Amino acid sequence: MATSSTMLAIRWYPPAFDIRIESLPVPQHTCGHEFIGEVVSLGSSFGSNAHGRPKLYSTLKVGDKVVSPFTSNCGECHVCRVGYTARCPEGALFGSPILDGGQAQFVRVPRAGGTLFNLSNPDTWSSALAPEEKAQALNKIADVSLLLLADILPTGVFAALQALNHPKLQPVLTGRSWPLCFSPQVNVSEGNEIELTSEDRILTFAIIGLGPVGICATVSLLDALAQKKAPFRIVATDLLESRREKMKAVYDQIDASGRGAGEFVVLPADDAKKYIEDATNGIGCNAVLEVVGHADALASAYDLVRAFGVIVSVGVHGAPPMPFTGRQLVRSLGCVVIRVHGLYAPHAPNYQVKRQDVFGTIGEPASLIDRVVGFDVAAESYRAFDKGEVGKVIFKPWDQ
């Protein structure tokens, strides 16, 4: 595909939802932190002599299909080497004032060898899939669902893993009280601790916010709990009935291997609070996933979580104040896990392959993607999403 001096792009004129489609020079500041595309040009850093750098600098070719996470990152500094790529000191958020976004016909990707994932050659994927499975994976994944790998699915996976792997959940998972849960060599019967009951071993989660990321977090959490064969309760809630109905349809689509043997309910906010009070005898959730990005949602998470529990927040919060004080956190939680936007989870393709029944369809009751449209209906799509009238919408910039 040849490059052009102009492109169509979606432009936002805040603070209102004033969305316009404009023909612009390539590039200009553009909306969008999610994109997939075809490589049309490589910078001078790419080539066979890129020794000691991320493998993509040596292997990426013009014509390859790629997906980008929501931030650029160098892939070479300490922060990137330990896996926290979304917090790379040299990185930036696509679609922010300092880096053009992906809702356009062409996108410039800085530090691309450390940022992109090659969808034409999965050799560079960090994945639990076997090599032969990775080689076949792209044939199993619907093209339209690949965009979910840019942000929505990895952020949902991140939220689920943050909750499930938090140290405060280890007593429930191991059946050993704190801090003996970290010392398998210590004989519990020799101490003064009372053995955990079967009720103590049930993990209770709440998920607040059932937009696309909330659904991905729910699917990921259910799958992880099923693999652990851990007893659990999950209550999923959203203020919008349409989103609650979508979550129910998605859950009904998941087979037994991805559901586990726990209890899963979708309820309005007040009913969810009552359910948790009754199910836990007023103790509250082990962990709450806040996937909204609003102070009211964080306040609701605080109301649902137990003392010394965990709140994982991957909603992007715009307002600076927190809805609770430091004294409240120390007294009731001991700690709150706050992640303003999650880190990229490179093993998200595992869930893509397993859950194409949810991620690979369009416009069905259990589809995460509701519509695939051209830029000509971008403004209306933004409006409908803001009002909760539609779920995930994907733009195809070359379809007009």
Side-chain angles (χ1 to χ4, degrees):
M1 181 185 297
T3 59
S4 172
S5 60
T6 62
M7 65 179 179
L8 292 177
I10 299 172
R11 305 278 284 175
W12 176 32
Y13 290 80
F17 271 88
D18 183 3
I19 307 294
R20 308 176 192 176
I21 312 305
E22 298 179 356
S23 179
L24 301 172
V26 180
Q28 291 285 335
H29 176 62
T30 305
C31 298
H33 62 279
E34 301 171 301
F35 58 92
I36 60 174
E38 176 188 328
V39 177
V40 297
S41 179
L42 293 171
S44 59
S45 295
F46 287 85
S48 57
N49 296 324
H51 179 70
R53 307 194 71 191
K55 187 187 297 184
L56 212 60
Y57 279 114
S58 300
T59 60
L60 191 64
K61 307 183 299 297
V62 170
D64 282 347
K65 181 186 292 185
V66 294
V67 61
S68 175
F70 44 83
T71 60
S72 65
N73 56 267
C74 72
E76 301 176 72
C77 67
H78 167 75
V79 176
C80 289
R81 288 197 300 272
V82 297
Y84 304 143
T85 53
R87 295 298 178 265
C88 173
E90 302 299 321
L93 174 66
F94 286 102
S96 70
I98 61 172
L99 183 60
D100 290 317
Q103 290 182 355
Q105 293 172 321
F106 295 92
V107 186
R108 182 183 64 87
V109 180
R111 301 175 180 84
T115 298
L116 296 173
F117 288 82
N118 192 345
L119 298 173
S120 297
N121 180 2
D123 285 349
T124 54
W125 292 5
S126 298
S127 172
L129 297 174
E132 59 273 14
E133 290 179 302
K134 287 202 296 183
Q136 299 173 4
L138 290 173
N139 296 326
K140 301 178 181 179
I141 298 177
D143 235 23
V144 69
S145 71
L146 292 171
L147 187 68
L148 303 179
L149 294 172
D151 175 15
I152 288 174
L153 182 55
T155 301
V157 173
F158 173 82
L161 293 181
Q162 283 286 293
L164 194 54
N165 291 308
H166 197 280
K168 290 181 179 179
L169 270 63
Q170 292 310 301
V172 182
L173 288 168
T174 63
R176 296 163 63 87
S177 63
W178 180 287
L180 296 173
C181 55
F182 302 112
S183 304
Q185 71 278 12
V186 176
N187 189 341
V188 178
S189 64
E190 294 178 357
N192 194 43
E193 295 79 17
I194 298 176
E195 188 174 336
L196 271 67
T197 67
S198 58
E199 178 65 23
D200 293 334
R201 298 293 306 275
I202 300 176
L203 287 163
T204 302
F205 296 91
I207 300 172
I208 300 176
L210 298 176
V213 177
I215 289 177
C216 287
T218 305
V219 171
S220 304
L221 183 60
L222 283 166
D223 189 86
L225 289 166
Q227 304 314 308
K228 288 181 177 292
K229 297 181 170 57
F232 64 87
R233 306 182 190 96
I234 298 176
V235 57
T237 184
D238 196 290
L239 296 179
L240 294 177
E241 182 180 3
S242 60
R243 288 186 168 184
R244 297 196 301 269
E245 291 303 313
K246 172 72 76 173
M247 184 69 256
K248 292 176 184 177
V250 168
Y251 180 76
D252 289 342
Q253 186 70 30
I254 299 172
D255 58 31
S257 67
R259 285 187 181 186
E263 185 174 350
F264 179 81
V265 295
V266 182
L267 297 171
D270 290 342
D271 293 346
K273 186 174 182 180
K274 180 68 164 56
Y275 169 87
I276 291 166
E277 288 177 352
D278 293 344
T280 66
N281 294 316
I283 295 173
C285 294
N286 299 93
V288 181
L289 282 61
E290 184 274 304
V291 202
V292 177
H294 192 280
D296 290 346
L298 269 180
S300 296
Y302 181 87
D303 290 341
L304 298 179
V305 77
R306 66 180 58 189
F308 223 64
V310 178
I311 296 175
V312 176
S313 173
V314 292
V316 179
H317 292 263
M322 299 297 287
F324 27 63
T325 66
R327 178 174 294 184
Q328 286 176 299
L329 299 186
V330 171
R331 182 180 71 245
S332 298
L333 295 179
C335 161
V336 173
V337 179
I338 301 291
R339 297 289 183 268
V340 181
H341 219 291
L343 297 173
Y344 189 82
H347 50 285
N350 301 355
Y351 292 93
Q352 275 278 28
V353 174
K354 293 174 70 172
R355 290 270 68 93
Q356 278 294 287
D357 48 1
V358 174
F359 303 134
T361 58
I362 303 169
E364 300 295 330
S367 302
L368 191 63
I369 301 167
D370 280 351
R371 301 176 187 170
V372 179
V373 301
F375 280 178
D376 54 326
V377 293
E380 168 58 21
S381 298
Y382 267 96
R383 185 207 63 78
F385 184 83
D386 182 53
K387 299 299 182 183
E389 298 170 3
V390 67
K392 182 63 177 174
V393 176
I394 291 180
F395 295 120
K396 297 190 74 173
W398 298 97
D399 290 358
Q400 301 300 323

mmCIF file of all heavy atoms in Angstrom, residues 340-363:
data_model
loop_
_atom_site.group_PDB
_atom_site.id
_atom_site.type_symbol
_atom_site.label_atom_id
_atom_site.label_comp_id
_atom_site.label_asym_id
_atom_site.label_seq_id
_atom_site.Cartn_x
_atom_site.Cartn_y
_atom_site.Cartn_z
ATOM 1 N N VAL A 340 -4.081 3.154 37.253
ATOM 2 C CA VAL A 340 -4.765 4.025 36.309
ATOM 3 C C VAL A 340 -4.340 3.610 34.911
ATOM 4 O O VAL A 340 -3.278 3.986 34.427
ATOM 5 C CB VAL A 340 -4.427 5.500 36.574
ATOM 6 C CG1 VAL A 340 -5.163 6.396 35.589
ATOM 7 C CG2 VAL A 340 -4.810 5.878 37.994
ATOM 8 N N HIS A 341 -5.170 2.813 34.312
ATOM 9 C CA HIS A 341 -4.911 2.140 33.039
ATOM 10 C C HIS A 341 -3.912 1.016 33.254
ATOM 11 O O HIS A 341 -2.869 1.185 33.860
ATOM 12 C CB HIS A 341 -4.404 3.106 31.967
ATOM 13 C CG HIS A 341 -4.983 2.784 30.615
ATOM 14 N ND1 HIS A 341 -4.646 1.653 29.927
ATOM 15 C CD2 HIS A 341 -5.888 3.429 29.857
ATOM 16 C CE1 HIS A 341 -5.308 1.634 28.775
ATOM 17 N NE2 HIS A 341 -6.075 2.689 28.719
ATOM 18 N N GLY A 342 -4.280 -0.151 32.793
ATOM 19 C CA GLY A 342 -3.488 -1.340 33.048
ATOM 20 C C GLY A 342 -2.235 -1.422 32.191
ATOM 21 O O GLY A 342 -2.035 -0.668 31.256
ATOM 22 N N LEU A 343 -1.391 -2.371 32.533
ATOM 23 C CA LEU A 343 -0.221 -2.679 31.727
ATOM 24 C C LEU A 343 -0.611 -3.671 30.645
ATOM 25 O O LEU A 343 -1.562 -4.430 30.786
ATOM 26 C CB LEU A 343 0.879 -3.274 32.612
ATOM 27 C CG LEU A 343 1.417 -2.346 33.700
ATOM 28 C CD1 LEU A 343 2.365 -3.114 34.605
ATOM 29 C CD2 LEU A 343 2.149 -1.163 33.085
ATOM 30 N N TYR A 344 0.152 -3.665 29.572
ATOM 31 C CA TYR A 344 -0.147 -4.562 28.457
ATOM 32 C C TYR A 344 0.172 -5.996 28.854
ATOM 33 O O TYR A 344 1.248 -6.287 29.376
ATOM 34 C CB TYR A 344 0.654 -4.167 27.226
ATOM 35 C CG TYR A 344 0.217 -4.931 26.001
ATOM 36 C CD1 TYR A 344 -0.889 -4.512 25.281
ATOM 37 C CD2 TYR A 344 0.879 -6.071 25.598
ATOM 38 C CE1 TYR A 344 -1.319 -5.214 24.164
ATOM 39 C CE2 TYR A 344 0.457 -6.783 24.481
ATOM 40 C CZ TYR A 344 -0.642 -6.336 23.770
ATOM 41 O OH TYR A 344 -1.075 -7.040 22.681
ATOM 42 N N ALA A 345 -0.767 -6.901 28.636
ATOM 43 C CA ALA A 345 -0.592 -8.319 28.954
ATOM 44 C C ALA A 345 -0.318 -9.072 27.658
ATOM 45 O O ALA A 345 -1.241 -9.359 26.892
ATOM 46 C CB ALA A 345 -1.835 -8.873 29.644
ATOM 47 N N PRO A 346 0.935 -9.406 27.351
ATOM 48 C CA PRO A 346 1.253 -9.992 26.049
ATOM 49 C C PRO A 346 0.681 -11.382 25.833
ATOM 50 O O PRO A 346 0.647 -11.865 24.704
ATOM 51 C CB PRO A 346 2.792 -10.031 26.042
ATOM 52 C CG PRO A 346 3.181 -9.985 27.479
ATOM 53 C CD PRO A 346 2.130 -9.173 28.169
ATOM 54 N N HIS A 347 0.228 -12.059 26.903
ATOM 55 C CA HIS A 347 -0.361 -13.382 26.710
ATOM 56 C C HIS A 347 -1.853 -13.304 26.454
ATOM 57 O O HIS A 347 -2.536 -14.330 26.444
ATOM 58 C CB HIS A 347 -0.069 -14.268 27.919
ATOM 59 C CG HIS A 347 -0.389 -13.651 29.234
ATOM 60 N ND1 HIS A 347 0.401 -12.692 29.795
ATOM 61 C CD2 HIS A 347 -1.425 -13.847 30.083
ATOM 62 C CE1 HIS A 347 -0.132 -12.317 30.951
ATOM 63 N NE2 HIS A 347 -1.236 -12.988 31.141
ATOM 64 N N ALA A 348 -2.387 -12.100 26.230
ATOM 65 C CA ALA A 348 -3.809 -11.960 25.900
ATOM 66 C C ALA A 348 -4.228 -12.784 24.684
ATOM 67 O O ALA A 348 -5.384 -13.226 24.621
ATOM 68 C CB ALA A 348 -4.161 -10.489 25.693
ATOM 69 N N PRO A 349 -3.334 -13.020 23.682
ATOM 70 C CA PRO A 349 -3.757 -13.874 22.558
ATOM 71 C C PRO A 349 -4.229 -15.268 22.987
ATOM 72 O O PRO A 349 -5.024 -15.895 22.274
ATOM 73 C CB PRO A 349 -2.488 -13.960 21.692
ATOM 74 C CG PRO A 349 -1.766 -12.689 21.963
ATOM 75 C CD PRO A 349 -2.015 -12.416 23.422
ATOM 76 N N ASN A 350 -3.765 -15.747 24.148
ATOM 77 C CA ASN A 350 -4.252 -17.046 24.631
ATOM 78 C C ASN A 350 -5.773 -17.014 24.785
ATOM 79 O O ASN A 350 -6.471 -17.964 24.416
ATOM 80 C CB ASN A 350 -3.624 -17.383 25.989
ATOM 81 C CG ASN A 350 -2.107 -17.438 25.934
ATOM 82 O OD1 ASN A 350 -1.517 -17.320 24.863
ATOM 83 N ND2 ASN A 350 -1.483 -17.603 27.073
ATOM 84 N N TYR A 351 -6.272 -15.914 25.356
ATOM 85 C CA TYR A 351 -7.711 -15.783 25.560
ATOM 86 C C TYR A 351 -8.429 -15.551 24.239
ATOM 87 O O TYR A 351 -9.572 -15.973 24.062
ATOM 88 C CB TYR A 351 -8.003 -14.642 26.537
ATOM 89 C CG TYR A 351 -7.540 -14.937 27.948
ATOM 90 C CD1 TYR A 351 -6.291 -14.537 28.384
ATOM 91 C CD2 TYR A 351 -8.357 -15.632 28.823
ATOM 92 C CE1 TYR A 351 -5.865 -14.811 29.674
ATOM 93 C CE2 TYR A 351 -7.938 -15.918 30.118
ATOM 94 C CZ TYR A 351 -6.689 -15.503 30.538
ATOM 95 O OH TYR A 351 -6.267 -15.786 31.808
ATOM 96 N N GLN A 352 -7.769 -14.867 23.310
ATOM 97 C CA GLN A 352 -8.355 -14.678 21.980
ATOM 98 C C GLN A 352 -8.637 -16.022 21.326
ATOM 99 O O GLN A 352 -9.714 -16.241 20.767
ATOM 100 C CB GLN A 352 -7.390 -13.876 21.095
ATOM 101 C CG GLN A 352 -7.507 -12.377 21.242
ATOM 102 C CD GLN A 352 -8.651 -11.837 20.391
ATOM 103 O OE1 GLN A 352 -9.622 -12.515 20.125
ATOM 104 N NE2 GLN A 352 -8.543 -10.603 19.982
ATOM 105 N N VAL A 353 -7.665 -16.918 21.397
ATOM 106 C CA VAL A 353 -7.823 -18.226 20.763
ATOM 107 C C VAL A 353 -8.927 -19.024 21.458
ATOM 108 O O VAL A 353 -9.771 -19.657 20.808
ATOM 109 C CB VAL A 353 -6.491 -19.003 20.787
ATOM 110 C CG1 VAL A 353 -6.678 -20.420 20.271
ATOM 111 C CG2 VAL A 353 -5.445 -18.268 19.945
ATOM 112 N N LYS A 354 -8.948 -18.989 22.788
ATOM 113 C CA LYS A 354 -9.901 -19.793 23.544
ATOM 114 C C LYS A 354 -11.327 -19.274 23.450
ATOM 115 O O LYS A 354 -12.284 -20.037 23.506
ATOM 116 C CB LYS A 354 -9.481 -19.840 25.020
ATOM 117 C CG LYS A 354 -8.203 -20.591 25.282
ATOM 118 C CD LYS A 354 -7.773 -20.481 26.725
ATOM 119 C CE LYS A 354 -8.680 -21.245 27.658
ATOM 120 N NZ LYS A 354 -8.143 -21.281 29.040
ATOM 121 N N ARG A 355 -11.499 -17.951 23.304
ATOM 122 C CA ARG A 355 -12.823 -17.363 23.447
ATOM 123 C C ARG A 355 -13.252 -16.621 22.181
ATOM 124 O O ARG A 355 -13.785 -15.524 22.249
ATOM 125 C CB ARG A 355 -12.842 -16.393 24.638
ATOM 126 C CG ARG A 355 -12.735 -17.037 25.989
ATOM 127 C CD ARG A 355 -14.110 -17.382 26.562
ATOM 128 N NE ARG A 355 -14.814 -18.438 25.869
ATOM 129 C CZ ARG A 355 -14.768 -19.709 26.204
ATOM 130 N NH1 ARG A 355 -14.045 -20.107 27.211
ATOM 131 N NH2 ARG A 355 -15.466 -20.597 25.523
ATOM 132 N N GLN A 356 -13.043 -17.241 21.035
ATOM 133 C CA GLN A 356 -13.527 -16.644 19.803
ATOM 134 C C GLN A 356 -15.047 -16.614 19.742
ATOM 135 O O GLN A 356 -15.636 -15.855 18.980
ATOM 136 C CB GLN A 356 -12.957 -17.394 18.592
ATOM 137 C CG GLN A 356 -11.551 -16.956 18.212
ATOM 138 C CD GLN A 356 -11.503 -15.525 17.721
ATOM 139 O OE1 GLN A 356 -11.943 -15.213 16.621
ATOM 140 N NE2 GLN A 356 -10.963 -14.640 18.545
ATOM 141 N N ASP A 357 -15.712 -17.436 20.564
ATOM 142 C CA ASP A 357 -17.165 -17.390 20.623
ATOM 143 C C ASP A 357 -17.664 -16.048 21.153
ATOM 144 O O ASP A 357 -18.791 -15.635 20.869
ATOM 145 C CB ASP A 357 -17.706 -18.526 21.486
ATOM 146 C CG ASP A 357 -16.986 -18.656 22.826
ATOM 147 O OD1 ASP A 357 -16.072 -17.855 23.097
ATOM 148 O OD2 ASP A 357 -17.345 -19.566 23.596
ATOM 149 N N VAL A 358 -16.814 -15.345 21.900
ATOM 150 C CA VAL A 358 -17.155 -14.017 22.423
ATOM 151 C C VAL A 358 -16.462 -12.917 21.624
ATOM 152 O O VAL A 358 -17.086 -11.928 21.231
ATOM 153 C CB VAL A 358 -16.766 -13.907 23.910
ATOM 154 C CG1 VAL A 358 -16.969 -12.479 24.428
ATOM 155 C CG2 VAL A 358 -17.561 -14.895 24.749
ATOM 156 N N PHE A 359 -15.163 -13.095 21.362
ATOM 157 C CA PHE A 359 -14.362 -12.030 20.769
ATOM 158 C C PHE A 359 -14.376 -12.020 19.243
ATOM 159 O O PHE A 359 -14.009 -11.018 18.630
ATOM 160 C CB PHE A 359 -12.910 -12.134 21.247
ATOM 161 C CG PHE A 359 -12.760 -12.089 22.737
ATOM 162 C CD1 PHE A 359 -11.939 -12.994 23.398
ATOM 163 C CD2 PHE A 359 -13.440 -11.154 23.493
ATOM 164 C CE1 PHE A 359 -11.797 -12.963 24.776
ATOM 165 C CE2 PHE A 359 -13.301 -11.105 24.873
ATOM 166 C CZ PHE A 359 -12.479 -12.014 25.514
ATOM 167 N N GLY A 360 -14.792 -13.110 18.624
ATOM 168 C CA GLY A 360 -14.646 -13.221 17.175
ATOM 169 C C GLY A 360 -15.897 -12.972 16.373
ATOM 170 O O GLY A 360 -15.882 -13.089 15.151
ATOM 171 N N THR A 361 -17.018 -12.632 17.022
ATOM 172 C CA THR A 361 -18.256 -12.389 16.298
ATOM 173 C C THR A 361 -18.630 -10.911 16.374
ATOM 174 O O THR A 361 -18.089 -10.163 17.186
ATOM 175 C CB THR A 361 -19.399 -13.237 16.872
ATOM 176 O OG1 THR A 361 -19.563 -12.922 18.270
ATOM 177 C CG2 THR A 361 -19.094 -14.722 16.739
ATOM 178 N N ILE A 362 -19.575 -10.494 15.533
ATOM 179 C CA ILE A 362 -19.980 -9.084 15.466
ATOM 180 C C ILE A 362 -21.505 -8.997 15.533
ATOM 181 O O ILE A 362 -22.214 -9.699 14.800
ATOM 182 C CB ILE A 362 -19.505 -8.425 14.161
ATOM 183 C CG1 ILE A 362 -17.988 -8.550 14.007
ATOM 184 C CG2 ILE A 362 -19.908 -6.937 14.109
ATOM 185 C CD1 ILE A 362 -17.498 -8.148 12.626
ATOM 186 N N GLY A 363 -21.985 -8.131 16.410
ATOM 187 C CA GLY A 363 -23.402 -7.796 16.412
ATOM 188 C C GLY A 363 -24.338 -8.832 16.993
ATOM 189 O O GLY A 363 -25.554 -8.641 16.971
#
